[in-house]
Amino acid sequence: MSAGESIRERAARVLDRIARAAARSGRTGEEIRLVAVGKTQPAWCIGEALEAGLTVIGENYVQEAEEKIRAFPSAEWHLIGRLQRNKVKKAVALFSWIQTVDSLGLLLDISRRAGEAGKVLPGLVEVNIAGEGTKAGLTPGELPALIEAAPGLPGIRLRGLMAIPPWTEDPEESRPYFKRLRELFDECALRGGAGPGWTELSMGMSNDFETAIEEGATMIRVGTAIFGSRARREA
Ligand SMILES: *Cc1c(COP(=O)(O)O)cnc(C)c1O
């Protein structure tokens, strides 16, 4: 990726790579949701991504996202960073999807706040797939209890799993984690508690999204490959 390239050019290249990886897994590029990750990027960059035809934007921080969401309310906004309990009300008002449900308490809070706002939010459960001490997410063993608690809740509908494997330059090192997440996803589906809307696997970032698609990702979250490098502010 060269620094002189525009967001439009980078986005087109990512879409092309998505289409080819999807074909390798017997799907089409349209079946993969590309979440353009806008953290640390100014609103005008989000505008360029939307003009380039992208429709889904991911943000890590509720506070940072607010202004961008107000500037581009018609995009589909996904929260992909850790959600603090005291920001749930605001997050529910701003976002269309919450990809980072990581506790029963948070699940209940989101449902209550969304219910108050007359919404049913789609949510993904974040799994700490490599058991890293520094990362958010449930352990695989904690998953069943959370998923079994969800069907009766009025304000949230769990749609699948999300994970962030350890960062690596070599996408093949991510593959076992993607396979494991896929297995967990299937196990949850078999338990039945998840319901018919259980269809989404959010995995894969700029360095490994093609591998993730080969392993069944339905959503990939891509920042630098679209927007170029950013100030490294996240953990
Ligand atoms: C930053 C971030 C991404 C995108 O990372 P890139 O390597 O820039 O593609 C994806 N998912 C989450 C949760 C992130 O925080």
Side-chain angles (χ1 to χ4, degrees):
M1 156 170 67
S2 82
E5 264 183 322
S6 67
I7 289 171
R8 178 181 295 275
E9 286 164 333
R10 290 200 203 97
R13 203 131 49 89
V14 168
L15 288 169
D16 188 52
R17 289 168 59 192
I18 291 171
R20 277 183 281 157
R24 289 197 292 279
S25 72
R27 294 181 290 170
T28 66
E30 286 74 44
E31 292 171 76
I32 317 288
R33 223 196 214 96
L34 170 57
V35 180
V37 175
K39 64 171 172 245
T40 79
Q41 306 295 347
W44 68 264
C45 288
I46 306 295
E48 288 209 350
L50 297 173
E51 268 172 39
L54 305 188
T55 56
V56 186
I57 309 292
E59 288 284 343
N60 290 62
Y61 309 100
V62 176
Q63 212 68 32
E64 180 191 332
E66 185 170 9
E67 185 192 334
K68 298 184 215 177
I69 296 176
R70 297 209 189 287
F72 303 105
S74 62
E76 183 179 293
W77 292 88
H78 289 221
L79 182 66
I80 62 166
R82 186 171 235 163
L83 178 53
Q84 292 167 332
R85 302 281 283 278
N86 62 1
K87 300 236 168 73
V88 169
K89 186 177 181 190
K90 186 161 248 181
V92 160
L94 290 169
F95 287 91
S96 312
W97 283 72
I98 310 274
Q99 294 209 5
T100 48
V101 178
D102 66 357
S103 73
L104 184 58
L106 183 60
L107 181 79
L108 298 174
D109 276 4
I110 294 170
S111 177
R112 182 168 58 86
R113 292 298 191 179
E116 285 167 8
K119 292 182 173 178
V120 184
L121 275 192
L124 303 181
V125 181
E126 182 172 359
V127 180
N128 188 348
I129 196 70
E132 292 172 280
T134 54
K135 279 212 180 120
L138 295 181
T139 65
E142 291 168 328
L143 262 181
L146 188 89
I147 284 162
E148 277 155 25
L153 297 177
I156 186 159
R157 181 122 183 263
L158 289 184
R159 299 290 308 276
L161 301 179
M162 177 272 212
I164 313 166
W167 195 90
T168 163
E169 207 133 327
D170 175 6
E172 284 307 318
E173 289 181 21
S174 301
R175 193 183 294 277
Y177 296 111
F178 295 149
K179 278 192 197 296
R180 181 73 185 118
L181 193 70
R182 170 67 188 268
E183 284 166 11
L184 289 169
F185 172 86
D186 289 341
E187 285 164 23
C188 292
L190 282 176
R191 283 175 173 269
W198 188 257
T199 53
E200 306 300 324
L201 256 182
S202 172
M203 56 188 194
M205 311 188 353
S206 291
N207 60 315
D208 56 14
F209 68 82
E210 287 150 307
T211 311
I213 291 169
E214 288 166 13
E215 297 301 334
T218 64
M219 292 187 192
I220 56 171
R221 309 176 310 268
V222 179
T224 49
I226 294 169
F227 294 110
S229 60
R230 61 181 172 261
R232 284 265 159 204
R233 143 175 178 189
E234 75 279 12

